[in-house]
């Protein structure tokens, strides 16, 4: 064991936990302080749901390969320290921030004798719980307590989200929670905290980095020099803090190598994502293959995704209200799933979760939420049943043939187009109506 790495890792893990907890408390403190009865009821419901989920974990084996990797990486951190977590024998493909969570699970298991797989999954249930509460806080920025209650329960009881986190055992709720928390801090103009949480998101999974350009643009046009300096300091400090325990035995370009290997591990146009790339024939096809004349899947997908960024930046530039900020981040993550290459089926999770706070404000968004929740569930279930052989089901497959997958992909593309169009429409609405859930619902 590398003792320096281990000691640095302990300090980093505790510091990250403290910063994250501080952001959560900051988001929820005004609501708790106001003695919001709706929030109390919602908190009780989602906490009860979390207890039921934890009780079910021993009977839900999840996707064995994914969970076994989590176990191995957590044990590597606990036994050898962060410096050796990326040793070749562990085949670690994750960026470093989430390894601290897996480390904590392995340490608790070693000291208590609890089931390691269950301990690895408990953070997912916890993230589900906190995601519902942060959705409530975000929804209160744009609507009433009753509307926020509906939004929180919509995300807590969404079958697709439950399926991915509790049945599958994947950690997408952790990233969705972190991204939404960062956006909420930015909406409150707590830019330094927003950047600290955004860096954590970007180092939990590479998809968290998609938030950075929007946050940078918002900070530039809405913050002052003091905000810029504090945000830069927070970004540098959290980045160094996360990387340092791993860096001590690696070359200076270690973190670049980690992200590069992660990005290049699945160099396909669509990694089972029912999106535009799949609809154009890119399922498990190299993204360097040509799709339209000399244009490759990679070039086309990233161009369209970049155009979504341009739209999101324009929306924020025109009116940086909380409603439009939440919506801009939502369409970035929906555009990422719909257009960008190398997307997995689960990455629609982020758009669905980010959409939840806005659902009570608009029938259009409510319809999009319902449609995308169904397509996400079908996509995730199709892939899961291909990974996990289910007794009594032929070849372990959910019966979705090429035509069905194409049709679902078209639905997702259409939903993204509608979301983009609605974003343009929203900019020209009275900004005051976008701040009020009741007013927005009355006009849509």
């Amino acid at each position: 064991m590398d003792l320096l790495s281990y000691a640095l890792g302990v300090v980093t893990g505790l510091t990250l936990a403290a910063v994250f907890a501080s952001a959560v408390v900051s988001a929820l403190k005004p609501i708790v302080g106001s003695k919001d009865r709706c929030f109390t009821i919602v908190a009780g419901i989602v906490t009860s749901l979390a207890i039921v989920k934890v009780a079910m974990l021993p009977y839900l084996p999840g996707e064995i390969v994914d969970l076994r990797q989590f176990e191995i990486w957590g044990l590597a951190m606990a036994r050898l320290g962060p410096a050796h977590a990326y040793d070749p024998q562990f085949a670690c493909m994750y960026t470093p921030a989430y390894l601290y969570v897996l480390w904590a699970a392995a340490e608790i298991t070693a000291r208590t004798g609890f089931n390691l797989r269950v301990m690895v999954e408990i953070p997912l249930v916890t993230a589900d719980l906190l995601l519902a509460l942060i959705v409530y806080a975000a929804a209160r920025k744009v609507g009433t307590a009753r509307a926020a209650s509906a939004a929180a329960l919509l995300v807590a009881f969404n079958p697709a989200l439950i399926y991915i986190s509790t049945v599958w055992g994947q950690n997408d709720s952790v990233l969705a929670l972190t991204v939404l928390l960062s956006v909420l801090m930015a909406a409150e103009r707590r830019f330094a905290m927003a950047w600290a949480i955004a860096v954590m998101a970007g180092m939990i999974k590479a998809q968290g980095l998609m938030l950075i350009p929007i946050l940078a643009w918002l900070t530039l046009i809405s913050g002052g020099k003091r905000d810029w300096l504090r945000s830069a300091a927070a970004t540098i400090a959290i980045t160094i803090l996360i990387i340092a325990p791993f860096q001590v035995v690696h070359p200076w370009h270690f973190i670049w190598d980690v992200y590069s290997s992660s990005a290049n591990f699945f160099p396909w146009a669509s990694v089972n994502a029912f999106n535009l790339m799949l609809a154009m024939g890119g399922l498990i096809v190299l993204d360097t293959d040509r799709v339209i004349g000399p244009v490759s899947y990679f070039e086309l997908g990233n161009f369209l995704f970049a155009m979504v960024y341009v739209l999101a930046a324009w929306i924020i530039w025109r009116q940086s209200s909380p409603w439009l900020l939440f919506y801009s981040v939502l369409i970035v993550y929906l555009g990422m799933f719909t257009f960008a290459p190398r997307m997995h089926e689960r990455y629609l999770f982020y758009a669905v979760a980010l959409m939840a706070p806005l659902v009570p404000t608009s029938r259009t968004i409510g319809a999009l939420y319902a449609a995308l929740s169904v397509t996400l569930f079908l996509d995730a279930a199709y892939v899961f049943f291909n990974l996990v052989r289910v007794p009594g089901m032929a070849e372990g497959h959910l019966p979705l043939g090429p035509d069905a997958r194409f049709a679902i992909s078209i639905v997702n593309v259409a939903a993204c187009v509608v979301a983009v169009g609605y974003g343009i429409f929203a900019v020209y609405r009275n900004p005051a109506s976008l701040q009020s859930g009741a007013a927005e619902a009355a006009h849509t």
Side-chain angles (χ1 to χ4, degrees), residues 324-337:
L324 288 172
L325 173 59
F326 293 144
Y327 199 83
S328 296
V329 177
L330 154 65
I331 61 173
V332 163
Y333 276 91
L334 181 55
M336 177 192 76
F337 174 83

Side-chain angles (χ1 to χ4, degrees), residues 74-231:
L75 289 171
M77 293 278 285
R79 293 173 181 173
L80 301 175
H84 297 284
Y86 287 94
D87 286 357
Q89 65 268 31
F90 302 123
C92 185
M93 299 175 293
Y94 259 50
T95 45
Y98 194 66
L99 299 185
Y100 290 100
V101 177
L102 301 177
W103 182 7
E107 291 283 9
I108 293 171
T109 298
R111 285 163 173 70
T112 62
F114 291 158
N115 184 287
L116 177 57
R117 180 185 63 78
V118 173
M119 287 305 305
V120 162
E121 291 188 84
I122 285 178
L124 313 181
V125 176
T126 305
D128 290 347
L129 166 62
L130 291 176
L131 176 61
L133 299 182
I134 297 303
V135 163
Y136 187 100
R140 284 296 280 124
K141 298 289 290 184
V142 296
T144 64
R146 183 172 296 180
S149 301
L153 295 178
L154 277 172
V155 79
F157 287 92
N158 187 310
L161 307 190
I162 292 174
Y163 188 86
I164 290 170
S165 61
T166 307
V167 178
W168 186 318
Q170 266 293 350
N171 67 340
D172 296 286
S173 61
V174 178
L175 182 60
L177 163 65
T178 312
V179 169
L180 181 58
L181 182 59
S182 176
V183 177
L184 183 56
M185 292 294 99
E188 296 176 353
R189 296 303 185 261
R190 295 171 59 88
F191 289 110
M193 181 64 80
W195 275 96
I197 302 300
V199 171
M200 293 185 200
M203 291 202 177
I204 288 172
K205 298 184 79 166
Q207 290 72 33
L209 295 174
M210 303 305 108
L211 173 62
I212 299 298
I214 292 297
L215 184 57
W217 177 242
L218 178 69
T219 306
L220 177 65
I221 65 175
S222 298
K225 291 182 180 179
R226 183 173 296 181
D227 294 314
W228 301 346
L229 292 174
R230 289 178 176 175
S231 298

Side-chain angles (χ1 to χ4, degrees), residues 112-420:
T112 62
F114 291 158
N115 184 287
L116 177 57
R117 180 185 63 78
V118 173
M119 287 305 305
V120 162
E121 291 188 84
I122 285 178
L124 313 181
V125 176
T126 305
D128 290 347
L129 166 62
L130 291 176
L131 176 61
L133 299 182
I134 297 303
V135 163
Y136 187 100
R140 284 296 280 124
K141 298 289 290 184
V142 296
T144 64
R146 183 172 296 180
S149 301
L153 295 178
L154 277 172
V155 79
F157 287 92
N158 187 310
L161 307 190
I162 292 174
Y163 188 86
I164 290 170
S165 61
T166 307
V167 178
W168 186 318
Q170 266 293 350
N171 67 340
D172 296 286
S173 61
V174 178
L175 182 60
L177 163 65
T178 312
V179 169
L180 181 58
L181 182 59
S182 176
V183 177
L184 183 56
M185 292 294 99
E188 296 176 353
R189 296 303 185 261
R190 295 171 59 88
F191 289 110
M193 181 64 80
W195 275 96
I197 302 300
V199 171
M200 293 185 200
M203 291 202 177
I204 288 172
K205 298 184 79 166
Q207 290 72 33
L209 295 174
M210 303 305 108
L211 173 62
I212 299 298
I214 292 297
L215 184 57
W217 177 242
L218 178 69
T219 306
L220 177 65
I221 65 175
S222 298
K225 291 182 180 179
R226 183 173 296 181
D227 294 314
W228 301 346
L229 292 174
R230 289 178 176 175
S231 298
T235 299
I236 294 169
I238 296 296
T239 300
I240 293 174
L241 192 67
I242 292 173
I243 296 173
F246 300 90
Q247 185 70 58
V248 293
V249 297
H250 290 98
W252 64 270
H253 50 78
F254 155 74
I255 194 65
W256 174 264
D257 294 341
V258 169
Y259 276 89
S260 296
S261 63
S262 176
N264 294 323
F265 196 81
F266 295 104
W268 301 325
S270 170
V271 191
N272 291 309
F274 294 172
N275 60 8
L276 179 64
M277 298 294 101
L278 183 144
M280 298 183 74
L283 177 62
I284 317 300
V285 172
L286 287 175
D287 60 10
T288 53
D289 287 0
R290 305 303 175 188
V291 60
I292 300 176
V295 179
S296 68
Y297 288 101
F298 184 87
E299 293 163 343
L300 176 63
N302 282 314
F303 172 77
L304 293 173
F305 183 30
M307 291 302 98
V308 176
Y309 264 121
V310 171
L311 173 64
W314 174 77
I315 289 173
I316 292 174
W317 175 69
R318 286 296 302 262
Q319 175 58 244
S320 59
S321 68
W323 194 99
L324 288 172
L325 173 59
F326 293 144
Y327 199 83
S328 296
V329 177
L330 154 65
I331 61 173
V332 163
Y333 276 91
L334 181 55
M336 177 192 76
F337 174 83
T338 305
F339 300 126
R342 307 186 182 188
M343 288 294 105
H344 290 251
E345 67 292 328
R346 305 183 323 277
Y347 295 169
L348 185 55
F349 187 113
Y350 315 131
V352 171
L354 292 167
M355 192 178 292
L358 304 180
V359 168
T361 71
S362 165
R363 294 173 187 170
T364 300
I365 299 176
L368 289 173
Y369 182 85
L372 293 173
S373 295
V374 171
T375 60
L376 171 60
F377 185 87
L378 291 173
D379 200 346
Y382 170 77
V383 176
F384 183 79
F385 282 124
N386 275 274
L387 296 173
V388 179
R389 301 303 179 185
V390 178
M393 183 171 287
E395 299 182 358
H397 289 199
L398 185 67
L400 289 177
D403 291 342
R405 297 196 298 271
F406 176 82
I408 295 170
S409 299
I410 294 301
V411 171
N412 285 334
V413 173
C416 186
V417 171
V418 171
V420 166

